[in-house]
Amino acid sequence: MKEVKCECGHVNPHGTILCEACGKPTNGENSKKLLDMRYEGSARRSQTYNKTVIDHIWNFFSSVKVGIWLIVLTLIASAFGTIYPQEAYIPINADPSTYYEEQYGTLGALYYQLGFHNLYSSWWYLLLIASIGISLVICSLDRVIPLHRALKKQRVTRHESFLQRQRFFSVTENPIESDINKVEEQLKKRGYRVKKEEGNLLGEKGRFSRWGPYVNHIGLIIFLIGAMLRVVPGMYIDKTMWLREGETKAIPGTNGEYFLENNQFIYEEYGKDSDEVFQKTIDRVGAVAKNYQTDVTLYKGQEGKIAGEDQKLVKQKDFPIKVNEPLKFDGYAVYQVDYRLNELSEMKLSLDDKQSGESFGTISIDLHNPKDTYKLKDGYRVEILSYFPDFYFNEEGNPDTKTKTPSNPAFVFKMFTPDRQEGETSFVAIRQNVEPLGENKYKMTFAGIDTKNVTGLTVHKDSTLWILGLGGLIFMIGVIQGMYWNHRRIWIQHTAQGLFMASHTNKNWFGLKRELEKIIEGTAIVMPEDQQEKKKGGDKA
């Protein structure tokens, strides 16, 4: 692109509207139209280059309209994400693939298929967030670099057409030097940085406020980076775990480094002697939980453990986890969120002779981790062919399970005895005994059930909070920077027509007008006139 050389000698990039040094308009100096001082009339890349693919991409994302539309689309997507609960807020033992359809019908199934159930970590939502970040970066670079270059290179002495086409402008014939000196003193008293050049003055203050919007952008970019880092493994963890009394499990999200043992689950209800307010609620809805907590022991796994070797646990501490009183360690927090009372834990069955009722032994089956084979005395043994934790008959009339939770366990056994080496099949559920393959000599008889309380815990870790906080802090600094300060400039310049006085601000023109009145107070310098209001008044006339 061809560069533009001004009569002042400064070479400007192609696309410059106002000379970066003297301010002379490149499109003609005789126009009476007020100057567009956005970005100081400097050349922006998006308005200069439009040939390569990179240019087209840059120009697309540098558009403020594109940025606004990306934000609108993200807000619309976020709104859709609130129609039904996110996966993190459905019952922790529910299967998302079936839960939404069962609860909300066809729309719920579509909601799940489109990924709205886990919106904030879906690839297309993260792509929208990334696009907003790219737009912010390119928009900022496209404007802040030429703006900084123009403000850095501006001179005290400006082209006459530049001054004449400012919004506030006046001409004073036969100025007195003492008046100029008095104005200079007033400028310094009001916090202006004053530069002098050949008897001309430039008073400037509040330039840092011009960078407020770009500081906002930096804060938003950091905030978006923090939000996107939540999908990076280890940066953000929000997982659930069910822990039975007496059970020890690895804490999810800790990569097997920490373990938790459920020593005891405590459940308390409001009794009849409770406060009158609670008593009314109890009478209306039934039992109301007063407290539920899990007394746990935290362990840390052995460092440098070899694969396949038994884990040696080192006790860290005992802690009672209550609602809103989580167990905290190494950046993790374990919250009490749910419970299941008296969940089936172990089922006992005996191998009996159907005719005589003689028992050949009893087996105890862990309903959460059943063995394949159970050996009894004198060569008797039982094998589990099929296990249905939540038994029911499906539409085809075959046994099946609804969930993996052992709420209604059933088994298909193969019974091997010394006189029946080929084995006999028996189907057993709680207090049921069905023989699907004809008459048997032996049977499996239900002998009892053991239950345990189960606690529902949520493991939470968020290593992105400080990034989000930093982004928010920087954003607020930019808001304050751009809202409560203005960039004001006042030029005083000797010309053949007299003393030119012009001024510009990026906002709050009324405040600038009042300040000009005080600066020239007690002098013969003509008060700069608001040419925009003058033009409006002329149009009305």
Side-chain angles (χ1 to χ4, degrees):
M1 293 290 182
K2 187 177 179 181
E3 295 177 329
V4 181
K5 186 174 182 180
C6 182
E7 65 181 32
C8 69
H10 181 75
V11 179
N12 297 283
H14 176 77
T16 302
I17 300 173
L18 303 175
C19 175
E20 294 175 337
C22 71
K24 178 185 176 182
T26 59
N27 59 351
E29 57 185 275
N30 296 321
S31 173
K32 293 183 179 180
K33 185 178 179 181
L34 297 180
L35 294 178
D36 182 0
M37 295 289 286
R38 289 186 306 169
Y39 321 115
E40 303 300 302
S42 54
R44 288 165 47 200
R45 191 187 192 284
S46 60
Q47 298 176 335
T48 306
Y49 301 95
N50 193 22
K51 289 186 176 181
T52 67
V53 174
I54 295 177
D55 293 337
H56 289 296
I57 295 174
W58 182 280
N59 296 346
F60 176 80
F61 281 106
S62 67
S63 170
V64 174
K65 290 182 179 179
V66 169
I68 292 174
W69 272 110
L70 288 172
I71 293 173
V72 169
L73 289 174
T74 304
L75 291 175
I76 292 173
S78 301
F80 275 106
T82 64
I83 293 176
Y84 300 129
Q86 291 290 290
E87 182 179 343
Y89 300 103
I90 67 175
I92 56 179
N93 60 337
D95 184 359
S97 61
T98 58
Y99 175 82
Y100 288 94
E101 185 172 8
E102 292 173 354
Q103 295 294 320
Y104 309 110
T106 304
L107 288 177
L110 183 62
Y111 190 83
Y112 174 80
Q113 293 297 328
L114 293 176
F116 282 104
H117 71 293
N118 209 358
L119 176 68
Y120 306 109
S121 59
S122 61
W123 67 268
W124 58 269
Y125 188 83
L126 291 175
L127 184 62
L128 277 175
I129 297 295
S131 297
I132 293 174
I134 293 171
S135 177
L136 285 171
V137 170
I138 292 180
C139 272
S140 299
L141 292 177
D142 191 57
R143 291 160 174 80
V144 74
I145 292 176
L147 175 63
H148 176 266
R149 184 174 60 240
L151 289 176
K152 187 177 180 180
K153 292 180 180 179
Q154 64 177 334
R155 297 175 182 173
V156 175
T157 304
R158 309 304 290 261
H159 197 273
E160 291 183 11
S161 62
F162 174 84
L163 300 176
Q164 290 171 333
R165 291 170 63 182
Q166 292 297 322
R167 179 166 170 176
F168 281 109
F169 174 74
S170 69
V171 181
T172 303
E173 298 179 358
N174 304 318
I176 303 173
E177 189 64 29
S178 60
D179 287 346
I180 298 175
N181 294 334
K182 190 172 183 179
V183 168
E184 181 180 353
E185 291 177 6
Q186 288 293 332
L187 287 171
K188 291 179 179 179
K189 284 182 181 180
R190 296 186 175 279
Y192 283 84
R193 280 182 15 179
V194 179
K195 294 181 181 179
K196 299 180 70 174
E197 181 181 285
E198 299 177 356
N200 302 323
L201 299 179
L202 167 61
E204 181 180 20
K205 73 173 180 180
R207 182 192 291 188
F208 74 97
S209 69
R210 296 290 290 274
W211 316 123
Y214 308 106
V215 174
N216 289 344
H217 289 182
I218 293 172
L220 284 173
I221 291 166
I222 293 174
F223 190 91
L224 292 175
I225 290 173
M228 295 185 67
L229 282 176
R230 290 187 164 212
V231 301
V232 176
M235 293 296 291
Y236 180 79
I237 296 170
D238 191 13
K239 296 182 178 292
T240 59
M241 65 181 298
W242 288 99
L243 196 61
R244 299 169 192 87
E245 287 182 319
E247 185 180 22
T248 302
K249 268 187 181 181
I251 299 176
T254 64
N255 298 318
E257 184 179 2
Y258 290 97
F259 293 77
L260 207 60
E261 179 183 7
N262 182 352
N263 299 316
Q264 182 185 16
F265 179 77
I266 300 173
Y267 175 79
E268 298 173 331
E269 295 179 352
Y270 286 99
K272 294 182 178 180
D273 57 345
S274 302
D275 185 88
E276 183 180 353
V277 176
F278 290 109
Q279 190 59 51
K280 290 181 179 179
T281 304
I282 293 171
D283 294 339
R284 188 177 69 255
V285 302
V288 177
K290 179 180 180 180
N291 173 50
Y292 54 96
Q293 70 179 62
T294 309
D295 294 338
V296 300
T297 300
L298 175 68
Y299 297 95
K300 188 172 183 180
Q302 182 184 16
E303 296 183 4
K305 174 182 171 295
I306 301 173
E309 183 182 4
D310 290 338
Q311 181 68 276
K312 295 181 180 180
L313 304 180
V314 179
K315 182 178 178 180
Q316 301 296 300
K317 63 176 177 179
D318 296 318
F319 190 85
I321 303 177
K322 301 180 181 180
V323 177
N324 297 326
E325 296 181 20
L327 165 65
K328 294 184 178 181
F329 62 95
D330 197 18
Y332 296 89
V334 182
Y335 293 86
Q336 179 74 62
V337 293
D338 206 350
Y339 60 88
R340 291 201 296 260
L341 299 177
N342 302 319
E343 182 184 86
L344 301 183
S345 173
E346 192 172 74
M347 190 172 179
K348 297 179 181 180
L349 302 106
S350 62
L351 175 59
D352 300 339
D353 188 296
K354 290 178 64 176
Q355 296 296 327
S356 65
E358 179 185 0
S359 176
F360 301 97
T362 302
I363 63 174
S364 296
I365 302 175
D366 184 348
L367 296 177
H368 301 283
N369 188 25
K371 298 178 183 179
D372 294 330
T373 303
Y374 292 85
K375 293 183 179 180
L376 302 171
K377 61 182 181 179
D378 301 328
Y380 291 86
R381 76 178 192 277
V382 177
E383 293 183 1
I384 297 178
L385 299 181
S386 299
Y387 172 40
F388 309 98
D390 192 2
F391 163 68
Y392 81 107
F393 285 108
N394 59 27
E395 295 179 356
E396 290 78 22
N398 298 320
D400 204 344
T401 184
K402 297 178 182 178
T403 66
K404 295 180 180 180
T405 303
S407 56
N408 183 30
F411 296 89
V412 177
F413 292 107
K414 191 81 169 180
M415 303 169 292
F416 295 91
T417 61
D419 59 329
R420 298 289 175 98
Q421 295 290 334
E422 72 282 0
E424 295 180 342
T425 303
S426 177
F427 181 89
V428 179
I430 295 179
R431 302 189 183 280
Q432 297 182 55
N433 192 335
V434 182
E435 298 174 357
L437 297 178
E439 292 294 329
N440 291 338
K441 179 180 179 181
Y442 300 93
K443 67 177 181 177
M444 297 297 297
T445 304
F446 176 78
I449 198 82
D450 289 338
T451 63
K452 287 184 178 180
N453 294 329
V454 187
T455 183
L457 305 172
T458 293
V459 183
H460 187 76
K461 180 182 180 181
D462 193 348
S463 299
T464 66
L465 277 178
W466 70 271
I467 301 176
L468 298 175
L470 177 63
L473 176 63
I474 293 175
F475 178 84
M476 290 308 301
I477 290 173
V479 170
I480 295 170
Q481 182 179 344
M483 182 177 292
Y484 294 102
W485 283 271
N486 346 110
H487 181 209
R488 295 178 177 179
R489 282 171 291 175
I490 299 174
W491 295 272
I492 298 177
Q493 186 168 317
H494 294 278
T495 69
Q497 302 175 50
L499 185 71
F500 280 9
M501 186 174 187
S503 58
H504 178 268
T505 182
N506 61 324
K507 60 179 179 293
N508 191 9
W509 292 93
F510 179 75
L512 175 61
K513 181 179 181 180
R514 293 183 61 184
E515 193 164 54
L516 287 171
E517 291 172 349
K518 293 179 180 179
I519 288 172
I520 64 171
E521 188 177 357
T523 69
I525 296 177
V526 177
M527 172 66 190
E529 189 176 16
D530 189 339
Q531 299 192 87
Q532 182 167 294
E533 290 186 0
K534 179 182 177 181
K535 183 178 179 181
K536 289 180 180 178
D539 291 341
K540 290 179 181 179

